Amino acid sequence: MSATTTPRASRRRRRVLRTTAAVLVLAAAAVWAGNTSLWGPDPEGGPGVLAHRGLGQTFDVADTDADTCTAEIIHEPEHDYLENTLPSMRAAFDAGADVVELDVHMTADDRFAVFHDWEVDCRTDGTGTTRDHTLAELQRLDIGYGYTADGGRTFPFRGEGVGLMPSLDDVFDAFPDEELLLHVKSEDPAEGVLLADRLAELPAERRAAVTVYGGDAPIDALHARLPDLRVMSKGLMVDCLLRYEAVGWTGHVPDACAGLQLHIPEGYGPWLWGWPDRFTARMAEVDTRVVLVAGSGGASEGFDTPEAVDRVPTGFDGLIWTNTAQDTAAPIRAR
């Protein structure tokens, strides 16, 4: 003991340390109790099903990068549907999907075509980008032309996809009441403005069942014109989650999280305060919807088998992203 430290001072210091430690333990316990799912709110309806591109042909996402023509690496077909078509969307809804995701592109005549790729060369018998063509020209293409499961020896959908590329107007006409998630594939703010103008023509109750996501620039432009529309972009999601990570332990949801859709990779979810049921309940209170995606969230990974669905955490009641609603809708709803 130092010559300047008295027994009384030493006891006082120990009391202060014990008190501080007790306060920290109690504070940690309070934070844990306020965020644990052990006695969180009971999910009201369980998870829902989000069908990516309706029903489509599948492929091994591990074999893909940004330039991969996925039509050339499909698995042996198990059904006759091609993604982003009206029949594939109808089949997804019939299988039990709550929401269908579809991809939109601005055309040369300022319409919106529903098609995944920026260029048409991979899947169709055409060439160039979607913006090189009018909607009428795009709708004359065979969108099943390039699909092969055996390295090009056979093309099971060639000739079957002529006229199957829908416009966004076709989708709204075919599904006047269903929930839709539109994916803007470009980084062009002008596309966001054009899409906002089209969506503004919808009745308010129809627009409420539409969500749009995509690049920061088009989504920012769209959201500026339609602030009531639920949207998502990487920038909006990162801003929301960083703010939430800073204060979410208190149960508070930052204003930056309101009116969004959040796509949460399954590996990131456990790092969020209140995951899963308190988190989704807090987001629902600010009109934000939570979608759980598989893996790291890259390459449109989904919960595509009943075994994968088993990984969905108990208590999650947002939407589950899947590429195979025909196989997974029932197991998802059973959770």
Side-chain angles (χ1 to χ4, degrees):
M1 183 180 297
S2 167
T4 60
T5 303
T6 66
R8 180 177 295 177
S10 180
R11 288 194 296 271
R12 186 182 302 116
R13 178 178 298 173
R14 287 196 295 271
R15 284 197 299 271
V16 170
L17 290 175
R18 286 196 296 268
T19 300
T20 301
V23 169
L24 291 175
V25 169
L26 290 173
V31 170
W32 177 83
N35 288 279
T36 181
S37 293
L38 292 179
W39 48 72
D42 292 330
E44 294 184 0
V49 181
L50 195 161
H52 181 221
R53 308 183 206 167
L55 297 188
Q57 301 304 311
T58 60
F59 51 88
D60 189 343
V61 297
D63 295 336
T64 66
D65 57 34
D67 297 322
T68 301
C69 175
T70 57
E72 296 177 347
I73 59 169
I74 61 168
H75 298 138
E76 191 66 29
E78 297 181 354
H79 57 70
D80 295 332
Y81 296 108
L82 296 175
E83 64 182 46
N84 279 314
T85 63
L86 298 183
S88 81
M89 296 175 201
R90 187 170 292 109
F93 282 124
D94 289 345
D98 298 279
V99 182
V100 163
E101 188 261 11
L102 55 137
D103 304 298
V104 296
H105 291 274
M106 189 167 70
T107 65
D109 53 345
D110 288 344
R111 302 284 298 280
F112 281 99
V114 178
F115 187 68
H116 177 265
D117 298 349
W118 180 258
E119 297 180 343
V120 299
D121 304 60
C122 165
R123 299 177 194 279
T124 82
D125 52 346
T127 59
T129 72
T130 50
R131 291 193 181 190
D132 290 333
H133 302 277
T134 65
L135 177 63
E137 290 168 343
L138 289 170
Q139 292 187 314
R140 287 195 290 268
L141 297 176
D142 178 5
I143 64 170
Y145 187 86
Y147 283 84
T148 179
D150 52 16
R153 291 189 296 276
T154 61
F155 294 87
F157 299 104
R158 185 166 288 184
E160 302 297 320
V162 178
L164 283 187
M165 186 188 302
S167 69
L168 182 57
D169 291 338
D170 293 333
V171 174
F172 286 141
D173 289 342
F175 305 104
D177 303 310
E178 289 81 355
E179 293 247 8
L180 301 171
L181 171 61
L182 312 185
H183 187 189
V184 177
K185 303 290 290 188
S186 81
E187 294 291 341
D188 185 356
E191 188 160 344
V193 171
L194 185 67
L195 183 56
D197 290 343
R198 175 63 188 91
L199 296 179
E201 298 171 358
L202 298 175
E205 62 273 15
R206 180 68 188 101
R207 195 164 60 245
V210 176
T211 301
V212 184
Y213 77 115
D216 292 339
I219 295 302
D220 286 348
L222 181 149
H223 202 212
R225 290 186 172 232
L226 290 177
D228 64 323
L229 190 74
R230 182 182 290 114
V231 296
M232 189 201 82
S233 68
K234 182 177 179 180
L236 290 172
M237 189 165 71
V238 168
D239 185 39
C240 160
L241 293 180
L242 286 177
R243 293 173 186 270
Y244 180 77
E245 291 287 49
V247 301
W249 60 275
T250 67
H252 174 68
V253 178
D255 291 343
C257 293
L260 301 181
Q261 178 159 296
L262 302 177
H263 291 189
I264 306 297
E266 61 177 315
Y268 182 67
W271 296 97
L272 295 167
W273 297 108
W275 181 261
D277 46 351
R278 288 182 185 269
F279 177 78
T280 54
R282 289 168 183 171
M283 291 301 158
E285 289 175 358
V286 296
D287 194 32
T288 285
R289 188 162 59 185
V290 181
V291 179
L292 186 65
V293 297
S296 64
S300 300
E301 295 176 72
F303 292 86
D304 294 340
T305 65
E307 293 75 19
V309 171
D310 288 340
R311 302 199 308 267
V312 175
T314 301
F316 179 79
D317 64 347
L319 291 168
I320 306 297
W321 183 282
T322 182
N323 296 290
T324 56
Q326 75 277 11
D327 297 325
T328 55
I332 288 171
R333 291 194 174 283
R335 290 191 63 79

